[in-house]
Amino acid sequence: MQLSKTYQSKDYEDRIYQEWLDEDIFNPDTCIKKGITSEKAEHFSMVLPPPNVTGTLHMGHAAMLAIEDVMVRYNRMQGKRTLWLPGTDHAAIATQSKVEKILFDTTGQTRHDLGREKFLKKVDNFAQNSHDTIISQAKKMGSSLDWSREAFTLDKQRNLAVKTVFEKMYKDGIIYRGDRIVNWDPKMQSNVSDDEIERIEETTDFYYLKYGPFTIGTARPETKFGDKYVVMHPDDKRYTKYKHGQKIELEWINGLVTATIIKDEAVDPKFGTGVMTITPWHDVTDFEIAQRHNLSYEQIIDENGKLMAIAQEFAGQDIFDARPKIVNKLKEKGLLVKIDHNYIHSIAKNYRGGGIIEPQIRTQWFIDVNKKFTLPHSNIDGIKSGDEVTLKQLMQTVVQTRQIKIIPDRFNKTYFHWVDNLRDWCISRQIWYGHRIPVWYKGDEIYVGVDAPQGDGWQQDPDTLDTWFSSGLWTFSTMGYPDTNNPDMKNYHPTTVMETGYDIIFFWVARMILMTTYTLGDIPFKYVYLHGMVRDEKGAKMSKSVGNVIDPLDMIEKFGADATRLSLMIGTTPGNDMKLSESKVAGFRNFVNKLWNISRYIMMTVQEVKHIETEPKANTIADEWILSELNQLIKDTSKDIDKFNFSQAGEKLYDFTWNKLADWYVEIAKIEKNKDDILLFVLGNLLKLWHPFMPFVTEVIWKNFSTDNQLVITKWPKVSSKKVDNNKFSTLQTIISNIRTLRVNAGITAGATTKIILVTTHNDLINFVQEYKTVIEKMTKTELELTTDKPTKDDLASIHESYFSLFTSISTVAKNKQAEEKKNLEKYILTLKNKLDSDFAKKAPKEIVEKEKEKLKQAEEKLNKFL
RNA sequence: GGGCGAUUAGCUCAGCUGGUUAGAGCGCCUCGUUUACACCGAGGAGGUCGCAGGUUCGACUCCUGCAUCGCCCACCA
């Protein structure tokens, strides 16, 4: 096979991926059939965090795919039963709003103009297209996903799982329906969960208003029409004369009202005047106060964000338009005390591009996280089958006991903080795209079940479920649930690792833990590995509007999938954001090419290209060195991947490939011959070690070896226990480096061959250099002459004239260098001696003291050579 | 307001449970058109590890405080 000078990723990647698909080796069932793994082998399983069907893959997805594929390919090569299960998420709100926007932008229609059925068809269409794009992109990255098991969070099987769990929870009393204050998005006409809103700080006016004998503060005067409770802290001395329950007549926006005094600890006496009025229908705190004291409440703002009849002359107006008019009226009535213009107010926004949240009291479905129920069957450490528990306890227990380990560790704290403060989860949404709530009503009757009830007159609840409800089931809804006899459930659940971004630890990771511990009495996964966000080279979030987005497909097109993968794995650590630039990817493209050329050279020089399975015999110190370095590399790479240190593994592989194999061993192999077997052996193993990181180029090179198997299913290299002393080789390296430095410092042009007379009285050195003379000479472009005598005038004269100045300059340089080195060495020895004279010798652990003594000995020996 | 993280070479970051003279990649400088590779090779410069204390024989590493930046959470009307 003729190999091109540079690796052209485009010529190979699609074809290689197709070949893997043809062999069906991403499917563990096929691997068992082919004997690549066995039914009895340990399993490694992972479900892909399903990308939303809202568009295309971004760099974050690419990072996720790269990291997960490393784990999967590594474990597959280890011979484990390995399953990586793909899918996509319907992402209810995100997808619906995207389609609504497209619909409105293109036709000016809203979803209501189309009607539920027609609109949903449009969304399905969009989702299908988006899905197809995403899948093809995942393939471009080289992801070894088992496509035969692909799932969608909104398909029939997942819908059955959703309905089954819903029914079960309802029967356990965990799911309930209630009137609660929710985050209403008037733009989307739906409520959203606390996690779906983001707060934005805004500088607004803050109004101090006269409310009878009190002054109250508010940033939102338009909500104040119905305020008839005035609240203060029970211990506030300023207001002791007012008693709880006392009634006061006062003039308010639209005339006289009777206000009731309420004492409640929720009021901060230090804030403003320490007195506030409440609007329970549109404020969470106020709602809670109202509930505590059994107060009545009234709706002021309707679902569209317009004022209601209570606002009288302002009724029907948009709240934001009405505000200045209301303030004006308050001013005219003399109720406006003052305005603070620099008030920082946080407003809640629906983070999926929706509108400004207006809290509203509405009837919704909730999951009660504090309700006790009996867990019939438990595989959870610390909880026995039949124990009475709450969802919150389950979520806490599995992480506390370390049955689920979160990487990096610090996210445990984040997780607990969230779970400990978790409130009931509102799961109903007033949008159309999603799992319809499996509840039917007929008059006062209510029916909850997987299938629609028999008989006429039943109306299904129009709402759909929060998208995270179905995502929460993902690890087991993809494995056949509710059919618990499904072999996948037995063979691959709980999954081994959940790898995802730290930004969705609450949304998703916590919900999966909730859903799985509840439904199965088991953990969904053993490890949670959290990766950071991919940012631009300045550390800014990538966003379309800023224009700093790096598209993974562009990078693959330009530099290849392997380089793109490396750039997302090397130099990044779990839980920390990673900065990415095109030049970083380009750098790794250079490296991919380096590996390509090392391979190309070996393939071209070697007598016969064949796969060498067992370690060949080492004939020289270079052979011994490279084999032991390889051995260490296998050890390190395996350990690092096992410990999720992908970056470190990559760095060590990089170092070996470039700085050891290419720069030293291959160069020496040009001088010392008969290294075919070792070159092939090292290369073969190196390809295996690199394969999880860069599957394409390694597979392409592997094809040159005449083996039947694809690299993707070869066995991971084994560590040999042989011990080798590499001191000799490092001496050789030192000598070569020194001579090279000498040459450069003496200003000798790189191409020219020079003569060097090595004068030394050390016989070991003479002997050593004599032994490796050829290698040293060729590696340093020199002719060596060895002598124990100081050169006489005659000697110098005998050297060809053109070498004469060279010799003298080299000696001067060498002398200076030596002097400098000697000085450093003496300093170092002094430091060591002082250290050993101090308490260090008495108090430090023995082996460390020994090590220091050894160092001293070596340094002193080295110094002796100078003298 | 609470919590978390970061601060190490010009840039991007490693540095595991305290123990060599603190590392890598990129960039920079010098030299080189050597038939594997210019997507290359050889050599080099560059850091009092944010600041101030403390613990220790020994601190980039542990503790306390401070500063700057970033993120997350929270019902301050």
Side-chain angles (χ1 to χ4, degrees), chain A residues 68-337:
Chain A
E68 293 180 17
D69 200 36
V70 167
M71 291 190 242
V72 170
R73 285 178 187 270
Y74 167 73
N75 280 287
R76 189 183 292 117
M77 289 172 81
Q78 290 276 13
K80 293 189 189 162
R81 263 189 303 119
T82 304
L83 171 64
W84 187 18
L85 198 153
T88 47
D89 196 311
H90 68 286
I93 289 178
T95 311
Q96 168 161 330
S97 39
K98 187 131 196 181
V99 176
E100 279 186 288
K101 187 175 185 308
I102 294 169
L103 182 69
F104 189 81
D105 289 351
T106 52
T107 66
Q109 288 179 302
T110 69
R111 68 173 145 140
H112 300 284
D113 296 329
L114 255 69
R116 188 164 187 146
E117 210 170 306
K118 269 194 180 163
F119 177 74
L120 282 180
K121 210 162 239 170
K122 274 210 180 299
V123 183
D124 282 338
N125 247 327
F126 174 86
Q128 185 61 48
N129 282 334
S130 177
H131 160 271
D132 296 349
T133 313
I134 286 165
I135 299 306
S136 79
Q137 286 173 318
K139 290 179 176 173
K140 283 259 174 206
M141 280 294 292
S143 323
S144 61
L145 287 152
D146 177 9
W147 298 107
S148 74
R149 284 175 165 87
E150 192 193 334
F152 180 49
T153 55
L154 193 58
D155 62 17
K156 219 172 158 191
Q157 181 63 39
R158 263 43 68 178
N159 184 240
L160 178 64
V162 163
K163 288 187 293 192
T164 309
V165 172
F166 189 99
E167 186 189 18
K168 186 171 148 65
M169 284 185 148
Y170 181 77
K171 289 193 171 144
D172 275 342
I174 290 170
I175 284 184
Y176 68 94
R177 193 176 186 230
D179 293 335
R180 288 295 179 86
I181 191 154
V182 295
N183 306 302
W184 181 261
D185 177 357
K187 190 173 155 200
M188 181 164 290
Q189 292 289 300
S190 173
N191 84 283
V192 297
S193 75
D194 293 343
D195 304 305
E196 284 163 322
I197 60 178
E198 65 178 341
R199 292 183 178 275
I200 294 164
E201 299 223 311
E202 235 185 34
T203 307
T204 52
D205 290 346
F206 190 79
Y207 308 92
Y208 288 92
L209 307 176
K210 191 170 144 53
Y211 190 78
F214 307 105
T215 301
I216 58 155
T218 183
R220 303 194 56 196
E222 69 276 10
T223 64
K224 296 283 157 200
F225 291 101
D227 288 11
K228 52 186 178 181
Y229 296 104
V230 55
V231 194
M232 59 214 69
H233 197 278
D235 301 336
D236 196 330
K237 296 252 160 45
R238 289 170 291 181
Y239 306 108
T240 36
K241 67 173 179 174
Y242 300 99
K243 298 285 173 274
H244 180 82
Q246 188 183 339
K247 293 198 190 308
I248 297 176
E249 283 254 309
L250 51 86
E251 181 64 25
W252 195 224
I253 313 172
N254 286 329
L256 276 177
V257 292
T258 307
T260 308
I261 308 280
I262 299 294
K263 302 272 184 162
D264 192 284
E265 295 186 348
V267 179
D268 177 2
K270 288 193 275 300
F271 185 85
T273 55
V275 182
M276 67 178 194
T277 61
I278 56 167
T279 315
W281 200 283
H282 300 293
D283 186 281
V284 180
T285 315
D286 297 2
F287 176 78
E288 284 167 1
I289 293 173
Q291 281 212 317
R292 271 199 288 280
H293 301 284
N294 227 341
L295 311 178
S296 65
Y297 25 85
E298 197 170 354
Q299 189 174 0
I300 315 294
I301 300 161
D302 71 8
E303 268 87 85
N304 298 310
K306 297 215 159 47
L307 288 165
M308 298 180 66
I310 190 169
Q312 294 184 14
E313 57 179 290
F314 303 103
Q317 294 189 23
D318 187 276
I319 48 172
F320 295 103
D321 297 342
R323 186 184 294 173
K325 296 178 201 161
I326 295 165
V327 172
N328 224 8
K329 184 170 180 190
L330 285 162
K331 200 173 168 187
E332 281 165 12
K333 291 187 76 170
L335 294 174
L336 182 65
V337 180

Side-chain angles (χ1 to χ4, degrees), chain A residues 552-620:
Chain A
L553 281 190
D554 280 357
M555 292 303 104
I556 292 172
E557 173 74 16
K558 269 182 150 155
F559 306 111
D562 294 322
T564 307
R565 291 166 63 116
L566 289 180
S567 70
L568 293 165
M569 273 182 292
I570 296 181
T572 66
T573 40
N576 292 327
D577 290 352
M578 43 189 134
K579 289 176 195 168
L580 187 75
S581 59
E582 198 168 312
S583 63
K584 189 175 176 189
V585 189
F588 283 109
R589 184 273 320 270
N590 294 355
F591 174 73
V592 171
N593 191 56
K594 184 75 188 181
L595 178 65
W596 174 260
N597 270 295
I598 293 168
S599 312
R600 190 162 77 99
Y601 174 75
I602 293 175
M603 303 282 178
M604 284 181 340
T605 10
V606 128
Q607 297 273 319
E608 183 198 351
V609 177
K610 57 182 185 225
H611 178 226
I612 306 289
E613 192 61 52
T614 49
E615 187 177 307
K617 194 176 160 292
N619 296 315
T620 68

